């Protein structure tokens, strides 16, 4: 048995495929690649593969993570190549390592995420440059957050760790590091919404593109990628 | 490649993945580098269309030609239609995301009558004139196939070519001819004329129809010297060597059937008298087990599916079934691939087999009894006795099954109240059978789900002359059947009676129904087969506005000498055979199946299949 941790990207081609379908697509790819995947015991055996954090529909990503377990110890390079040959368009494994035992699974490890928000043309790079610092300096940032039943005013400021003006040419881009995981979780959409409110432009989430850049865990009080220090 | 629909819109509609393509095993070609562009349209939503075997076969069949790019098109769901119309976005094909107007052929598969308004809607959304007579040489050629094409008349005003039969036979020839014609700069009218050489193609423009005062057809005649009087379907005779795809499109979202589909044979030996498929797909033509095992291995490997489904009209009648089933079990038992076995007759062999393939989860057991009494089962030639049903249930209950599904039909010819009450009597007996097994051997309480559909007389069946019940009458009959059930373990449901009524009109409609379909579409009817979208008022208004009486088509008995709208089409089965079958039905006499005895239906003229097998004794 060998567990592997992998990092993959999710491109434009596949951004409308939701999390459960991505899991299914991975499972079928493993079968097509004919990899010796380990199965769980029990009445309904399922492939031993799990993922760090679901990505919202419509988002692209350069930093998705998962673990998978094989019944044989194959070379990581081979596993990665065999999978990349059969994964659907837009899904590419960038990194795959043997993972040592005794490490928390990816989902339990998640503490933060790095995202880019591609704002619509009503916001110029100049507006970002002039306002982002002041926005981040606010004592509290109140946005309406959806709860199970209705909307509630919430202060998202404590969950924002870093905001960067990442604009390129004519397009206004905000890069952010924000809380993610089971204890604290913030949607990048809320950060964008807060910024639109701050600069007084009506917010429409359908006009904004989002990309996850990476997912982090905390090791020695530092945010590090999920592949950091887990290699076998 | 850019999506036809901007992200901003895709993010606001249900399941945007329906509209972006790029599934596993999708064929990629440069549209600029092909001679022929073919849009394969399925006039229903993505998840339904992607589960259709015919699409999978023809997609790869057409794309195996280097000169042709076959792309897929599904009916956009109503939420996207609204946005596309608002933003003037024309309907597009998934592969290239390009509008349909650019294509040479726009082909539709007609699987059920209640998709006709979707076909009109898809043409309209493509900015292609809906009526054939309004289209020019710049518009694509509209071609339709599928089981509903056997009565093409309701769509005659909208479609250029109806393809009668199996796609593998003629498409190469049609496309070769088209390519040559296009290179020579010929017009569309000339191309259609040249197709008159081929059998199996019905082009409505070459035929004129006139009507009597009482509404019946007076004459139906070719208006072109080369147009055939009768057009005969074309079929594959050698199933082992016919093209079958080595790949299968694997959707990235959940669809109705997420599995490998393996086609065992075409046609059916049974001849149930209500079943159109049982007559129009004759004769039975089988593949051999080694061919199927090879195809199964291949398809599982290149799809990554965890389930393989054996497809046919009656799987238990497959002559190599034990060999195939055991071969599949050997191959897939350790690979965690499930084998799904629809259309099984319940007997000792199939129970044993089902126990092998589904060791843990016991699905439900299905019997298509169709009628509540033996008399009525004989009328429809359903070779299934109460004894067989109860014995099958006993075997299954002993094996640990506790769920039984029963299919019935309401409104079959000669049906009486006694037949309807027979539904309750039979389902009650099944429950009693369950209580015969010792209490300690019952893992769960038994449930019997009895579901009734409303009988729709179909062309090319012995009941093509019969009257269909009105929807009011269906409702009354459903109530009688329901009241006849006394056991609380039996749950009874029945199909939407108004939808069945409409299906009855479409199924045996003539050219005059085209105007009604068009009007209904104008009235906003779409997705007529979807209970939540079904717009009865839109349809009743359409009948009123066009002055067409639906009862003339649905609820009227025809005489044997009346010209039926589909009489210019031959499926091989003779009219005389259908008449004989109807007369036998009225006398509640059964007809043996094709392997017991040849009844000379006429399908032997195709020169293959079961008609030439040695008759088993």
């Amino acid at each position: 048995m060998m567990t592997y941790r992998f990092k993959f990207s999710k491109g434009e081609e596949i951004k409308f495929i939701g999390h459960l379908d991505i899991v299914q697509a991975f499972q079928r790819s493993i079968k097509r690649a004919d990899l010796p995947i380990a199965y769980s015991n029990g009445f309904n055996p399922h492939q031993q593969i799990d993922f760090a954090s679901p990505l919202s529909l419509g988002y692209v990503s350069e930093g998705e993570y998962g673990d998978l377990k094989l019944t044989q110890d194959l070379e990581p390079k081979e596993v990665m190549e065999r999978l990349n040959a059969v994964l659907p368009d837009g899904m590419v494994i960038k990194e795959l390592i043997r993972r040592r035992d005794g490490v928390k699974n990816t989902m339990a490890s998640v503490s933060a995420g790095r995202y880019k928000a591609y704002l619509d043309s009503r916001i110029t790079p100049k507006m970002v440059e002039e306002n982002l610092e002041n926005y981040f300096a606010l004592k509290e940032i109140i946005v309406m957050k959806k709860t199970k039943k209705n909307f509630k005013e919430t202060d998202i400021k404590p969950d924002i760790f870093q905001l960067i003006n990442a604009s390129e040419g004519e397009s206004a881009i905000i890069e952010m590091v924000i809380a993610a995981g089971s204890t604290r979780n913030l949607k990048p959409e809320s950060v964008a919404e807060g910024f639109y409110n701050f600069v007084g432009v009506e917010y429409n989430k359908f006009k904004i593109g989002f990309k996850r850049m990476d997912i982090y865990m905390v090791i020695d009080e530092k945010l590090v990628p999920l592949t950091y220090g887990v290699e076998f | 490649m850019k999506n036809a629909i901007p992200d901003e819109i895709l993010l606001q509609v249900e399941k945007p993945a329906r509209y972006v393509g790029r599934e596993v095993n999708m064929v990629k070609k440069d549209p600029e580098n092909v001679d022929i562009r073919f849009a394969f349209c399925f006039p229903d939503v993505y998840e339904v269309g992607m589960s259709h075997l015919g699409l999978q076969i023809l997609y790869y069949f057409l794309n195996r030609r280097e000169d042709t790019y076959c792309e897929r098109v599904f009916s956009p769901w109503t939420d996207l239609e609204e946005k596309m119309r608002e933003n003037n976005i024309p309907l597009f094909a998934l592969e290239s995301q390009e509008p349909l107007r650019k294509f040479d052929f726009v082909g539709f598969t007609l699987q059920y009558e209640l998709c006709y308004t979707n076909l009109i809607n898809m043409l309209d959304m493509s900015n292609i004139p809906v009526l054939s007579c309004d289209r020019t040489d710049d518009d694509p050629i509209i071609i339709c196939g599928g089981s509903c094409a056997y009565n093409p008349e309701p769509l005659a005003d909208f479609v250029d070519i109806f393809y009668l039969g199996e796609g593998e036979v003629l498409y190469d020839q049609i496309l070769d001819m088209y390519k040559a014609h296009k290179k020579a700069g010929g017009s569309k009218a000339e191309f259609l004329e040249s197709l008159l050489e081929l059998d199996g193609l019905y082009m409505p423009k070459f035929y004129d129809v006139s009507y009597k005062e009482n509404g019946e057809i007076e004459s139906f005649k070719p208006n072109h010297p080369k147009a055939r009087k009768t057009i005969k379907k074309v079929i594959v005779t050698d199933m082992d060597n016919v093209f079958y795809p080595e790949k299968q499109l694997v959707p990235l979202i959940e669809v109705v059937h997420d599995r490998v589909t393996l086609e065992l044979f075409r046609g059916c030996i049974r001849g149930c008298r209500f079943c159109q498929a049982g007559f129009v797909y004759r004769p039975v033509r089988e593949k051999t087990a080694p061919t199927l095992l090879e195809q199964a291995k291949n398809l599982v490997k290149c799809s990554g599916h965890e389930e393989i489904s054996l497809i046919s009209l009656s799987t238990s009648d497959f002559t190599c079934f034990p060999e195939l089933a055991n071969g599949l079990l050997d191959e897939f038992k350790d690979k965690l691939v499930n084998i799904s076995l629809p259309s099984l007759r319940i007997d000792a062999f199939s129970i044993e087999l089902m126990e092998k393939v589904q060791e843990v989860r016991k699905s439900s057991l299905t019997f298509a009894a169709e009628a509540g009494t033996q008399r009525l089962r004989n009328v429809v030639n359903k070779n299934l006795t109460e004894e067989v049903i109860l014995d099958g249930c006993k075997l299954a209950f002993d094996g640990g099954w506790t769920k039984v599904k029963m299919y019935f039909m309401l409104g079959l010819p000669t049906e009486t109240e006694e037949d309807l009450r027979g539904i309750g009597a039979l389902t009650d007996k099944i429950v009693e059978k369950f209580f015969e097994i010792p209490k300690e051997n019952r893992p769960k309480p038994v449930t019997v789900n009895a579901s009734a559909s409303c009988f729709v007389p179909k062309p090319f069946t012995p009941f093509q002359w019969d009257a269909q019940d009105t929807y009011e009458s269906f409702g009354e009959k459903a109530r009688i059947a329901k009241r006849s059930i006394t056991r609380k373990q039996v749950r009874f449901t029945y199909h939407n009676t108004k939808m069945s009524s409409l299906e009855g009109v479409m199924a045996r409609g003539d050219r005059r129904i085209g105007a009604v379909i068009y009007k209904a579409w104008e009235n906003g009817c779409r997705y007529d087969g979807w209970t939540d979208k079904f717009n009865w008022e839109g349809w009743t208004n359409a009948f009123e506005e066009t002055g067409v009486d639906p009862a003339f088509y649905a609820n009227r008995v025809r005489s044997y000498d009346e010209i039926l709208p589909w009489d210019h089409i031959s499926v091989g089965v003779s009219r005389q055979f259908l008449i004989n079958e109807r007369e036998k039905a009225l006398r509640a006499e059964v007809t043996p199946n094709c392997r017991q005895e040849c009844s000379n239906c006429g399908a032997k003229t195709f020169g293959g299949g079961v008609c030439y097998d040695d008759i088993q004794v």
Side-chain angles (χ1 to χ4, degrees):
Chain A
M1 290 283 183
M2 177 52 69
T3 305
Y4 299 83
R5 178 157 293 181
F6 55 94
K7 179 180 185 180
F8 67 102
S9 60
K10 192 178 167 191
E12 288 287 331
E13 300 94 326
I14 202 151
K15 69 178 180 185
F16 292 110
I17 308 299
H19 179 67
L20 289 178
D21 291 321
I22 289 288
V23 174
Q24 175 78 263
F26 246 104
Q27 290 170 345
R28 287 186 184 142
S29 300
I30 285 169
K31 287 207 138 195
R32 286 195 297 273
D34 205 14
L35 287 170
I37 187 79
Y39 280 86
S40 67
N41 297 317
F43 285 136
N44 278 314
H46 56 265
Q47 293 186 1
Q48 302 234 24
I49 176 166
D50 55 64
F51 294 87
S53 170
L55 190 66
S56 300
L57 206 72
Y59 283 33
V60 293
S61 174
E62 286 179 9
E64 298 299 291
Y65 291 89
D67 287 338
L68 65 88
K69 194 186 251 183
L70 300 183
T71 57
Q72 290 166 35
D73 181 7
L74 300 181
E75 278 303 315
K77 187 167 172 283
E78 187 197 336
V79 178
M80 184 162 133
E81 279 172 5
R82 279 166 68 177
L83 270 174
N84 277 338
V86 295
L87 277 169
D89 286 359
M91 280 164 85
V92 183
I93 297 184
K94 305 274 191 186
E95 197 182 339
L96 185 140
I97 55 171
R98 288 189 179 96
R99 198 208 76 185
R100 61 190 161 79
D101 286 339
V103 171
K104 272 200 269 184
N105 71 24
T106 52
M107 189 177 274
S109 310
V110 176
S111 291
R114 178 183 292 272
Y115 294 87
K116 276 185 179 175
Y118 298 80
L119 312 182
D120 68 279
S121 57
R122 293 170 304 165
I123 307 274
T124 59
K126 192 156 173 267
M127 284 160 82
V128 178
E129 194 190 319
E130 285 169 359
N131 291 292
L132 194 64
E133 231 169 275
N134 296 338
Y135 172 57
F136 193 47
L138 290 174
K139 275 215 173 68
E140 53 178 25
I141 299 174
I142 305 293
V143 294
M144 301 300 277
K145 243 185 163 179
K146 208 173 155 185
T147 62
K148 268 182 195 131
K149 275 199 175 145
N150 43 22
F151 288 86
K152 194 177 95 186
E153 286 194 345
T154 318
D155 177 16
I156 60 167
K157 179 67 199 294
D159 290 336
I160 307 177
F161 304 144
Q162 194 184 12
L163 291 182
I164 303 160
N165 175 11
S167 301
E168 291 163 19
E170 294 301 296
S171 42
I173 304 166
I174 296 176
E175 189 168 338
M176 61 188 92
V177 179
I178 56 179
S182 50
T183 43
R184 292 163 69 191
N185 194 54
L186 178 59
K187 280 186 165 186
E189 284 154 42
S190 299
V191 179
E193 185 180 355
F195 184 76
Y196 274 76
N197 292 344
F198 186 71
V199 296
V201 177
E202 194 202 356
Y203 172 71
N204 177 350
K205 73 169 179 181
F206 301 122
K207 287 182 181 290
I208 306 171
F210 291 96
K211 182 194 270 183
R212 179 141 73 189
M213 307 300 294
D214 213 338
I215 301 174
Y216 300 122
M217 58 184 171
V218 178
I219 302 264
D220 299 333
E221 291 175 31
K222 270 190 193 149
L223 291 175
V224 294
L226 297 186
T227 39
Y228 179 88
V230 300
E231 194 159 357
F232 182 73
Chain B
M1 187 189 46
K2 226 173 143 241
N3 290 331
I5 310 288
D7 284 4
E8 190 182 338
I9 293 176
L10 285 172
L11 284 167
Q12 295 177 65
V13 299
E14 217 183 284
K15 303 189 187 172
R18 288 166 170 169
Y19 311 113
V20 297
R22 305 180 184 108
E23 300 90 335
V24 173
N25 296 329
M26 182 184 100
V27 176
K28 291 175 206 163
K29 291 183 185 180
D30 180 355
E32 300 296 318
N33 288 340
V34 295
D35 298 306
I36 305 164
R37 299 190 66 180
F38 194 107
F40 189 111
C41 304
F42 195 98
D44 207 319
V45 76
Y46 179 87
E47 295 93 311
V48 175
M50 282 298 284
S51 305
H52 178 56
L53 176 62
L55 179 147
Q56 298 270 1
I57 296 177
L58 281 177
Y59 179 72
Y60 291 107
F61 180 78
L62 294 174
N63 274 319
R64 86 194 197 296
R65 292 174 64 105
E66 265 181 35
D67 62 357
T68 305
Y69 194 10
C70 172
E71 306 183 44
R72 292 159 300 143
V73 188
F74 301 96
S75 176
W77 194 243
T78 47
D79 58 350
L80 182 66
E81 178 189 341
E82 202 178 295
K83 303 242 178 241
M84 286 171 74
R85 288 188 183 277
E86 236 173 68
N87 294 281
N88 287 315
I89 303 170
L91 187 60
F92 55 94
L94 290 186
E95 276 71 7
S96 65
Q97 297 280 312
E98 289 181 353
L100 260 59
R101 268 204 86 155
K102 294 188 172 182
F103 283 68
D104 297 286
F105 288 89
V106 170
F108 287 89
T109 177
L110 306 173
Q111 294 301 311
Y112 34 89
E113 291 82 357
L114 298 188
C115 69
Y116 291 171
T117 52
N118 279 11
L119 179 147
I120 308 267
N121 197 42
M122 287 169 78
L123 288 178
D124 183 67
M125 289 185 75
S126 308
N127 297 324
I128 296 171
V130 167
L131 293 168
S132 315
C133 59
D134 293 339
R135 289 194 290 268
T136 67
D137 278 8
D138 295 332
D139 295 306
I141 293 166
I142 312 300
I143 183 165
C144 286
S147 58
C148 289
Y150 288 114
N151 178 20
E153 289 303 275
L155 293 176
D157 292 343
F158 316 108
V159 174
D160 299 316
I161 309 169
F162 289 93
Y163 185 126
L164 308 167
E166 294 164 353
E168 299 97 332
V169 182
L170 280 183
Y171 264 119
D172 277 337
Q173 219 170 333
I174 296 172
L175 297 182
D176 286 344
M177 285 167 74
Y178 177 78
K179 194 165 122 181
H181 195 81
K182 196 175 163 187
K183 283 214 170 107
S187 69
K188 190 200 282 184
E190 287 160 357
F191 172 63
L192 295 182
E193 269 189 83
S194 71
L195 289 181
L196 287 171
E197 274 175 40
L198 305 178
D199 210 348
L201 301 180
Y202 165 57
M203 292 168 275
K205 69 179 264 194
F206 296 123
Y207 298 82
D208 293 324
V209 53
S210 65
Y211 304 95
K212 296 183 195 167
E213 226 159 83
N214 67 4
E216 291 173 18
I217 293 173
E218 184 174 58
S219 73
F220 189 99
K221 285 192 186 121
N223 60 27
H224 188 286
K226 284 169 95 182
R228 289 152 205 269
K229 218 166 153 262
T230 308
I231 303 132
K232 194 173 178 189
K233 78 170 184 201
V234 289
I235 57 164
V236 172
T237 45
D238 181 359
M239 286 299 290
D240 254 1
N241 291 307
V242 72
F243 171 88
Y244 200 72
E246 284 169 14
K247 287 181 177 176
Q248 189 167 319
L249 281 156
V250 186
L252 295 167
I253 55 170
E254 195 181 328
V255 299
V256 179
H257 296 307
D258 269 314
R259 59 200 189 183
V260 162
T261 39
L262 195 62
E263 185 189 30
L264 308 185
F265 60 91
R266 294 181 186 171
C268 181
I269 58 168
R270 298 274 148 189
C272 299
R273 291 178 180 131
F274 53 83
C275 177
Q276 189 186 37
F279 293 97
V280 299
Y281 297 134
R282 283 184 183 214
V284 164
R285 291 145 293 144
E286 293 191 336
K287 291 187 188 177
T288 61
T291 304
L292 287 165
L293 284 169
E294 194 56 41
Q295 289 173 351
K297 262 190 260 178
N298 236 334
L299 288 170
V300 167
K301 188 161 181 353
C302 80
S303 67
H305 275 305
E306 285 160 345
E307 184 173 319
I308 180 162
S309 181
L310 308 185
I311 302 291
S312 73
L313 289 170
S314 172
T315 300
S316 298
D317 290 329
F318 184 44
T319 45
C320 325
F321 188 43
E323 185 189 347
L324 175 70
N326 290 324
L328 290 173
L329 279 169
D330 284 349
E331 175 68 29
F332 296 121
K333 150 178 91 198
D334 301 325
K335 296 190 178 154
L336 293 153
V337 174
N338 289 321
I339 299 166
S340 134
L341 304 159
S343 309
L344 268 199
R345 196 169 49 240
I346 307 303
D347 55 23
F349 172 74
S350 61
I351 293 279
E352 193 192 333
L353 183 65
M354 283 194 292
E355 287 190 327
K356 277 190 209 155
V357 300
Q358 35 197 353
E359 276 162 19
V360 192
R361 266 177 301 177
K362 304 247 180 205
S363 57
S364 65
L365 208 65
T366 307
F367 291 97
E370 313 299 359
T373 60
Q374 195 57 47
R375 185 200 68 82
L376 194 51
R377 281 195 293 274
N378 289 348
V379 167
V380 300
N381 202 37
K382 184 80 199 183
N383 185 14
L384 186 63
T385 61
E386 185 170 300
E387 200 189 345
V388 169
I389 294 170
L390 294 177
D391 287 352
C393 286
K394 178 83 172 61
L395 280 168
F397 292 149
D398 285 338
W401 271 268
T402 55
K403 269 192 251 163
V404 179
K405 262 194 258 174
M406 299 289 297
Y407 291 139
F408 295 102
M409 257 186 234
L410 303 173
L412 287 166
T414 77
E415 178 191 66
T416 63
E417 274 202 40
E418 195 195 331
D419 298 310
L420 293 167
R421 283 193 298 267
I423 293 176
L426 180 58
T427 48
D428 282 358
K429 276 182 203 161
I430 292 173
V431 175
E432 282 149 26
K433 204 84 203 165
F434 182 77
F435 290 123
E436 282 175 18
I437 61 171
K439 210 169 181 174
E440 58 275 18
N441 294 349
R442 301 177 207 157
K444 270 189 215 162
V446 67
T447 51
V448 178
N449 284 315
S451 88
S453 62
C454 305
F455 172 61
V456 180
K458 294 276 166 110
F460 300 107
T461 66
F463 298 142
Q464 64 177 354
W465 293 279
D466 280 276
Q468 187 191 21
D469 276 330
T470 60
Y471 69 87
E472 293 96 337
S473 160
F474 280 132
E476 185 45 43
K477 289 181 166 183
R479 278 183 287 277
I480 296 172
K482 195 177 170 114
R483 275 198 302 267
S484 71
I485 295 165
T486 62
R487 290 284 186 170
K488 68 171 193 292
Q489 293 86 350
V490 182
R491 213 172 61 99
F492 180 79
T493 52
Y494 62 99
H495 193 256
N496 186 313
T497 55
K498 286 173 176 164
M499 274 163 65
S500 302
S501 251
L502 181 63
E503 188 186 331
V505 177
M506 298 294 128
R508 291 187 293 170
D510 56 29
R511 278 193 192 186
R512 291 169 293 186
I513 290 296
V516 184
I517 299 170
Y518 189 84
K519 198 74 196 169
W521 167 73
E522 281 188 323
N523 291 349
C525 295
R526 312 269 189 284
Y527 286 103
D528 302 306
W530 291 70
T531 320
D532 55 331
K533 298 283 170 197
F534 183 61
N535 173 358
W536 178 244
E537 211 193 335
W539 277 102
T540 46
N541 289 342
F543 282 111
E544 229 160 79
E545 285 155 15
T546 51
V548 172
D549 176 17
F552 175 81
Y553 296 96
N555 315 122
R556 182 173 64 94
V557 182
R558 282 90 164 149
S559 73
Y560 290 139
D561 50 25
E562 181 175 337
I563 298 176
L564 302 174
W566 51 91
D567 272 352
H568 57 290
I569 285 167
S570 164
V571 298
V573 175
S574 73
R575 187 185 174 89
Q576 191 53 51
F577 174 74
L578 295 177
I579 292 174
N580 294 348
E581 280 295 293
R582 180 162 185 269
E583 294 299 321
K584 283 169 88 175
L586 298 178
R587 299 192 299 267
E589 276 175 34
V590 297
T591 296
N593 74 48
C594 298
R595 289 213 179 90
Q596 291 169 321
E597 187 187 317
C598 176
S599 302
N600 291 313
C601 70
K604 203 168 182 172
T605 58
F606 292 107
V610 68
C611 312
Y612 293 86
D613 291 351
D614 295 333
I615 299 290
Q616 296 168 356
V617 196

